[in-house]
Amino acid sequence: MARPVWSGSLTFGLVTLPIKLYTATDSHTLHFHQLQRGTSDRVRHQRINERTGEEVAADDIVKGLDTGDEYVLVEPEELDDIAPGRSKALEISGFVDLAEVKPIFFDRTYYLGPKGKEYAKVHALLHKALGRSGKAGIATFVMRNREYLVAVKAEDDILALHTLHWADEVRAPHKEVADLPGRPKITDRELKTAHQLIEALGTPWDPEDYHDTCQERVRELVEAKSKGETVERVEQAPESTNVIDLMDALHASVVRARGERKSHRRRRIKRSELERRSKAELYELAAEANVRGRLSMNRADLVKALSA
């Protein structure tokens, strides 16, 4: 069982629920060590005093905020002192419609569980009420000397807590994106064809259908290099669509997408036959079957995807 990353009390109205917070997601990112080229010697980062060039022990390091003329030093204990009760309380200040919270505000996700079986009923009551109302509880709390804005909502059979970005952390798109279009003229025919393409490529959402092909390629590269072998290069990215040819590209895409669906339903090839095909042939079949991520797949990935 995972260890909680935070524990305290969730309150809404006059109701108090002792809770524990658990990390909901994990990262499968590969972590490389840094080595000196030509050796197996690890390269480590040290805490160095930039004036003396000497290493500094972790216990001798304090936090300092640059105010322009000088640094204001803050001890870890002082940060705890300014929010003594806040670090153990998560108070819901109000409930909002989930549809009102834009996806850009969501950051990390945690599972929220009761701090004992005796509190299971309160946990279940809040979960069921949130699920039925379609609302999320908005709250703030302090964890590891940092205050978080959060949304508590019902997901499946558990309460989930999503940390949210503060309003001043969300960048304005028109200030960040230099080439953000204004209101270019779009014909009804173009819009209708684009809608047909979206419908033709419609698919049910299943997260198990998607996997990190980049990480798989890295693992494949590491395994191949350990055996003295090489890895095939992936295909190049497609070229941008010329605006003049936009309608033709849309129409051709709709025809191909509809044809791929019919072809995929019609063709069922045994795995043994797939394994005899070349990578080029497998890629053509993957294109016909509209296999997602096929551009970055190796031969084994293509066989697996086509035989699924």
Side-chain angles (χ1 to χ4, degrees):
M1 298 293 287
R3 295 181 60 183
V5 296
W6 183 90
S7 63
S9 296
L10 180 151
T11 61
F12 55 105
L14 298 177
V15 180
T16 299
L17 171 63
I19 58 169
K20 292 181 180 180
L21 215 59
Y22 301 86
T23 303
T25 58
D26 197 7
S27 173
H28 57 206
T29 301
L30 295 176
H31 297 282
F32 289 92
H33 293 300
Q34 291 185 323
L35 305 176
Q36 184 175 358
R37 190 184 301 278
T39 74
S40 296
D41 301 336
R42 288 278 301 275
V43 177
R44 299 183 182 276
H45 295 280
Q46 295 177 312
R47 302 177 180 89
I48 301 296
N49 183 313
E50 65 178 19
R51 180 178 59 83
T52 66
E54 297 178 355
E55 187 175 358
V56 181
D59 292 342
D60 292 331
I61 295 177
V62 295
K63 294 180 181 295
L65 185 65
D66 189 357
T67 61
D69 297 328
E70 60 180 357
Y71 281 100
V72 176
L73 303 182
V74 179
E75 296 286 348
E77 296 78 11
E78 293 178 300
L79 293 174
D80 292 333
D81 290 341
I82 63 174
R86 299 287 307 285
S87 61
K88 290 295 180 183
L90 193 157
E91 181 178 359
I92 293 178
S93 57
F95 295 90
V96 302
D97 290 330
L98 277 173
E100 294 182 5
V101 186
K102 295 181 180 179
I104 195 172
F105 282 93
F106 287 91
D107 188 13
R108 295 197 64 182
T109 303
Y110 296 86
Y111 293 136
L112 191 156
K115 205 175 179 179
K117 293 182 179 180
E118 62 269 32
Y119 304 111
K121 184 174 182 178
V122 184
H123 179 278
L125 175 64
L126 179 58
H127 175 272
K128 192 168 185 177
L130 286 174
R132 180 172 296 181
S133 65
K135 293 182 179 291
I138 303 299
T140 58
F141 81 114
V142 175
M143 179 172 65
R144 297 169 184 161
N145 297 320
R146 178 182 172 186
E147 185 170 16
Y148 291 89
L149 176 67
V150 301
V152 178
K153 60 189 289 283
E155 291 187 4
D156 298 328
D157 57 351
I158 197 169
L159 286 173
L161 180 145
H162 300 271
T163 58
L164 305 174
H165 292 291
W166 300 95
D168 60 359
E169 292 179 327
V170 178
R171 298 178 178 181
H174 286 277
K175 291 182 179 180
E176 302 299 325
V177 184
D179 299 323
L180 194 67
R183 292 182 177 276
K185 185 177 180 180
I186 298 174
T187 67
D188 292 340
R189 183 166 173 248
E190 289 171 337
L191 185 59
K192 180 180 179 180
T193 309
H195 180 72
Q196 290 174 343
L197 178 57
I198 292 173
E199 290 297 316
L201 293 175
T203 182
W205 163 244
D206 184 354
E208 295 295 332
D209 290 342
Y210 305 87
H211 55 284
D212 192 340
T213 56
C214 183
Q215 289 294 322
E216 292 174 358
R217 293 287 290 175
V218 173
R219 292 182 186 276
E220 182 183 326
L221 172 65
V222 171
E223 183 179 352
K225 287 180 72 70
S226 68
K227 298 177 181 178
E229 301 172 353
T230 58
V231 177
E232 292 182 65
R233 289 180 176 270
V234 299
E235 290 80 0
Q236 295 296 317
E239 296 181 1
S240 301
T241 301
N242 190 319
V243 176
I244 300 174
D245 303 325
L246 177 59
M247 194 60 217
D248 291 338
L250 284 171
H251 180 69
S253 299
V254 172
V255 173
R256 188 181 70 171
R258 289 173 175 171
E260 286 173 352
R261 281 195 165 188
K262 292 178 181 178
S263 176
H264 183 57
R265 286 194 296 266
R266 187 172 61 248
R267 301 186 67 179
R268 294 293 180 186
I269 305 176
K270 294 182 179 180
R271 188 184 183 98
S272 58
E273 182 182 341
L274 290 171
E275 291 175 344
R276 292 195 295 269
R277 300 289 185 95
S278 67
K279 185 180 179 182
E281 291 173 325
L282 291 172
Y283 179 76
E284 289 182 8
L285 291 173
E288 290 179 7
N290 196 27
V291 174
R292 293 179 180 273
R294 58 185 178 272
L295 287 174
S296 58
M297 289 185 179
N298 58 29
R299 190 175 181 282
D301 290 333
L302 290 168
V303 170
K304 182 179 179 181
L306 288 166
S307 60

